[in-house]
Amino acid sequence: QVQLVESGGGLVQPGGSLRLSCVASGSILYIYNMGWYRQAPGKQRELVATISSGGGANYADSVKGRFTISRDNAKNTVYLQMNSLKSDDTAVYYCNAKINRITTNYWGQGTQVTVSS
């Protein structure tokens, strides 16, 4: 069994910062891409950022220049540093990882991020 556990969400004022973490555990041989997705109320889940095992990153246009994704392969952990947060960033953020097989996706339980004054 493989588990992804997110942490770091919370309430922050507009313009503030948060850092999300996601740790993968269990029967892990290899982690391919890792990433973050988010889902706001009444909206579909959308891609925020992904990072390959080699460190190559991709971002949604809406977060470019504000969010940074990184990973620590030794710790099976992916991070999302979120700066200059806006109310539109309010959502449940989900960690995703392709583990052991490139076709096998795992999801975390989600962590709430609320940007409000």
Side-chain angles (χ1 to χ4, degrees):
Q1 293 290 343
V2 173
Q3 279 190 321
L4 299 180
V5 179
E6 302 108 331
S7 61
L11 173 64
V12 63
Q13 291 186 342
S17 297
L18 281 175
R19 188 191 195 208
L20 305 183
S21 300
C22 172
V23 180
S25 63
S27 301
I28 298 172
L29 298 177
Y30 189 80
I31 302 178
Y32 295 89
N33 281 18
M34 304 184 82
W36 291 94
Y37 291 72
R38 67 186 181 187
Q39 188 167 17
K43 295 187 178 181
Q44 290 188 334
R45 190 174 297 188
E46 63 176 3
L47 171 71
V48 175
T50 62
I51 186 167
S52 69
S53 57
N58 289 291
Y59 298 92
D61 288 344
S62 59
V63 306
K64 282 181 181 176
R66 300 188 298 122
F67 291 11
T68 302
I69 190 170
S70 61
R71 63 189 283 175
D72 184 332
N73 291 331
K75 296 181 179 180
N76 291 339
T77 301
V78 62
Y79 306 97
L80 186 68
Q81 177 67 44
M82 305 185 293
N83 298 328
S84 302
L85 282 161
K86 307 174 182 179
S87 57
D88 287 349
D89 296 318
T90 296
V92 177
Y93 284 70
Y94 296 92
C95 175
N96 171 271
K98 299 181 186 298
I99 299 175
N100 296 337
R101 293 183 178 182
I102 192 68
T103 54
T104 303
N105 264 315
Y106 291 90
W107 291 92
Q109 80 286 354
T111 185
Q112 177 70 46
V113 172
T114 302
V115 184
S116 175
S117 55

